[in-house]
Every structure is written in C-alpha cells, then in structure tokens.
Amino acid sequence: MTQRPGPNSVSAHVDNGEDVPDSGTSGASVSRRLTEEEFDRYSRQMIVPGVGKDGQLRLINSRVLIIGAGGLGCPAAQYIAGAGVGTIGIVDGDVVEVSNLHRQVGHAASRIGMKKVDSLITHLRGLNTLPTYVPYTFHINPQNAADIISRYDLVMDCTDNPATRYLISDICVLLCKPLVSAASVQKSGQLIVLNCPPTPQGRLDRQYAPCYRCCFKKPPPPSSMLSCGEAGIMGPVVGMMGVAQAGEAIKILISALHIPSQDHSIPLERNLAQPTLLVYTYELENAVGPYSFRALKMAGRKKNCFACGENSTLTLEGIQSGTPNYEQFCSLPSPNFTLPPDERITASAYHGARNRGEIPNHLLLDTREKEHFSFGSIDGAVNVPFGKLLTKAAAIKREGGAASDILPPVEESDVAEDTPIFVVCRRGLDSQEAVEKLKELGVNNGGKRRIVDIVGGMKAWKDEVDPAFPWV
Ligand SMILES: [Zn+2]
C-alpha cells in the first residue's frame, strides 16, 4: 500500500479503501505530455488564462480527498472529477435514501440503498473515466482519519457534523494539508479555505493560514447545530457551496499552493490574502433577490490556538487514542430540566384522556415551525412556533404587558384562567422549555392553571397514537 508519510505520520491502517496511486510529485511535476484524450477532454479549461498545460498537469497529478458524499460532496466531486484531478478519494458511511435526492445530485433513484460512496463513484465514472476513484465506505473517525488524509494533497470537508469538522481540521494541521471547508443548513451556506498554504503546527509566520479552530474556537450553539434532517435544506444553496468548494480546491491545485514547501512556482506572497469566510443566505420569504453573498474577513492563525498555536500539545497519537474527545467537545448541552411528573403527560395518556372526555376544555399549543405544522397536527392544536414564543416572552419581560398576550388569540368564552394548557413540539425538548417559559411569565396564574408538556412531542404521537401521521 502506498503511503506518503506526513510530518507526523502514524501507523494506523485502514482496511477499507483501495491503494492510492503515488504521483510521486504531489502535483508539482509538469514534465509529461498530455494524451490525446486528455487534450480533447480538458481543452476548454486549459485555454482559460491561468490554467494552461502546466495547470492541467498539476490537476492530473493531484490527489484530493472528499469527506462526505452528500449535498456538498456530490456537486464538489462532479467538478473535481470533471476538471481531471487524477486521484479522488471519497469517504462516507451512509447509504442513499430517497430524501437525499433533491440535493445530492450524484446519486439516483435507481441507487437507493447503495453506499453513497459507491453511488457517487458510479456517477463520476459516467462523467470522467480518467481519474482513479478511491472509495472509503465508512465514516471518518479519530482512529482512521490520519491514515486516510495522509494519502492526499488536499482535503475537502463536505460533512455536516461539527465534531468531524474539528477532527478533520486538526489532522490537516498535523499533516500539513490544505483544507477547503464548507457547511450548509436550511437556507444558508458558508465556505472557507484553511491551512493554506499548508503550514506546520506552531509556525506563526504565515498568519494567513488559520485552521478551523482559529476561526471557530468553540462549536456553534446548539440552535445552529441542527442537521439537515431536522432543519431542512434547500438544494441550490448547498449545491452552490459544494461547487464553490470545488472552485477553491482547483485554484489551490493549479497554483501549486498545496505543496508544503517554500518552492512554489508562483511566488507565495502573491497568493496570500486575508482569510475570508464566504456566507450565502437565501431569502426565501422575500421577493426575488437581492442576492446575499457576503465575504467576511477572518482573523489569521492564532498564537494560542489549541491545534496550530505555538504551544499546542495536539498530536496524531493523542487523537488516535481519544484526546481530545471530539464528541464531548461538540455535544449538545443536555437540557438541565426534565419537568416534574405532574407537568408531563405521555402522548398516549393525553390521547386517552381526550377520548374519555377528561379534558374537555383545554388549549393545545404546538410549538413546531409553521412548515412542520402545515403537514399535520393534532385536532384543535394552535401553532405558536417556539422561536416566536421566546421572542414574545422576552418582549413581555422587557417591556411589560399581560402574560396572557403570549397565548394565541382564542375565543374568550373557551378560555378561563384555569383552562389547562398542553404543549407539544417535534421531539419533546422545546415543549419543556416552553412550559418553563410560560410558568416564568405567570401564565399558570399562580398554580390555578396546569401547564403540561406532552412527552416526546409529535414523534411520540406518531409512535404511540397515530402511525399514519406524516413525519417530516
Ligand atoms: Zn488554529
């Protein structure tokens, strides 16, 4: 097995994934001729100023690792393969599901159930048979990351998991690999190039090569850590970020900026620019446009960075043996409440009590987003999205006002001050916080009114009461 030891090579062995061909040149050599097929295939790209034959040969001699074969990885891989990168490794442990297909354009309805990596490589071979494709049909983790990443010249982070993002960045610092990192959820996306030119840990003279931790010292807050499955995702938004990732990677490879030496064919100074975070926001609610692309200037490499700073103690051996603990670092803070039993009811108990007429008059608040609510709800539920409830509660606290203003407008005759309130959300967490908030505002009228959380939310309702409930 060919393995190019990095400055911190480890002996971890990956028992999946084929051998990675060794170009022997890290993309630097431009000595050979293009074949006729290469010439025909890449001619439109080669005539673009800045590419030329030398740039094309650098792409052909390069090895790129794409981690994640989903909404980012599919479009990124298409353009990386199309451009003629010689060796393309793809890492992902998931299989293709029908709900992936609106955005993960490298898969197909006929390949549902297939490993995403195999599905995407099938698609890429249809575009370009010349590259060598290397499948890794499992997830990257602290034990296998260094061995896989060490075989490539450049890494593209196309994952959707904060813990994996920190892991990939740390390994890229330790192995001196440039990293093109993107993320996208719901209606926004971001992109940043990190550790480029590749700069060893502790070296601070290249301040424009920050790592992920320099830019994002702490994991994002839980509210922004919703996965695409939870928060939803717009296909064109994530697609645009994946394509932009490919664009940045191709630029780095053509410029030979990925080569970790001083010997760049293009003077290094010309290629250094302040790191920039590209942020794209898609305004679905507003009229067409204005298009919202923003380029935020980011600070450079940080002297005290945990991974790349001068006193960093991060090592490949440490990562392999569990230090740091990425899952713990990025874990969602567990909600510090579970309401007392008399403020909670199971979905089936609530359903039974309703059927027996034990709670004839009550308010049922559904705190899911209105899009989720629109697919179906329990009879009589009123939609008060959780975010709006929190905003309203904060305004009442700040500016005063009747606590009952937080409740939706209902017929006066239906609601007395002791009319109980039941709160349901998607999975049973927001609803508990909503119950706390309502009590805090005094909506419970000093204990005269019961405010009750439905345990497990609409997921539990589907599981326990109504299997036909549409779950999105
Ligand atoms: Zn750093």
Side-chain angles (χ1 to χ4, degrees), residues 3 6 11 94 121 133 176 205 221 257 291 309 313 332 361 395 410 413:
Q3 184 164 346
S11 58
D94 287 341
I121 289 176
Y133 299 102
C176 245
D205 55 323
L257 267 174
Y291 305 104
T313 55
L332 293 172
N361 192 21
V410 283
S413 55

Side-chain angles (χ1 to χ4, degrees), residues 75-115:
Q78 285 184 173
Y79 285 97
I80 290 293
V85 168
T87 303
I88 303 169
I90 306 176
V91 190
D92 199 313
D94 287 341
V95 297
V96 179
E97 296 176 18
V98 69
S99 65
N100 300 147
L101 296 179
H102 82 285
R103 65 191 188 282
Q104 300 184 12
V105 293
H107 305 307
S110 60
R111 297 198 290 275
I112 288 169
M114 186 189 275
K115 284 280 188 183

Side-chain angles (χ1 to χ4, degrees), residues 169 173 209-215 300-302 304-309:
S169 172
V173 167
C211 76
Y212 192 74
R213 287 183 191 268
C214 292
C215 300
R301 181 167 272 215
K302 290 209 166 58
N304 60 352
C305 173
F306 176 81
C308 70

Side-chain angles (χ1 to χ4, degrees), residues 171-323:
I171 300 280
C172 284
V173 167
L174 293 167
L175 293 178
C176 245
K177 307 286 181 186
L179 171 62
V180 184
S181 181
S184 184
V185 72
Q186 217 170 49
K187 295 178 292 180
S188 65
Q190 61 182 48
L191 166 78
I192 189 164
V193 174
L194 300 163
N195 202 37
C196 186
T199 303
Q201 183 185 38
R203 193 172 150 185
L204 298 169
D205 55 323
R206 285 195 194 155
Q207 58 161 325
Y208 287 162
C211 76
Y212 192 74
R213 287 183 191 268
C214 292
C215 300
F216 307 99
K217 193 176 173 189
K218 288 183 181 163
S223 57
S224 61
M225 281 170 67
L226 290 172
S227 69
C228 299
E230 290 289 317
I233 178 106
M234 293 301 294
V237 176
V238 66
M240 197 136 39
M241 302 323 292
V243 172
Q245 257 183 303
E248 291 305 306
I250 289 168
K251 202 195 293 179
I252 292 165
L253 297 170
I254 287 177
S255 311
L257 267 174
H258 58 297
I259 301 168
S261 77
Q262 298 287 354
D263 185 25
H264 295 280
S265 56
I266 298 168
L268 195 59
E269 309 78 54
R270 262 184 54 193
N271 296 293
L272 291 179
Q274 188 167 355
T276 305
L277 180 72
L278 175 72
V279 179
Y280 177 60
T281 317
Y282 181 69
E283 298 288 348
L284 199 58
E285 290 85 2
N286 297 335
V288 175
Y291 305 104
S292 179
F293 276 105
R294 283 173 298 149
L296 309 178
K297 295 285 181 204
M298 303 294 281
R301 181 167 272 215
K302 290 209 166 58
K303 202 175 163 182
N304 60 352
C305 173
F306 176 81
C308 70
E310 58 186 358
N311 296 317
S312 172
T313 55
L314 186 74
T315 63
L316 292 175
E317 293 72 20
I319 291 173
Q320 261 195 333
S321 58
T323 309

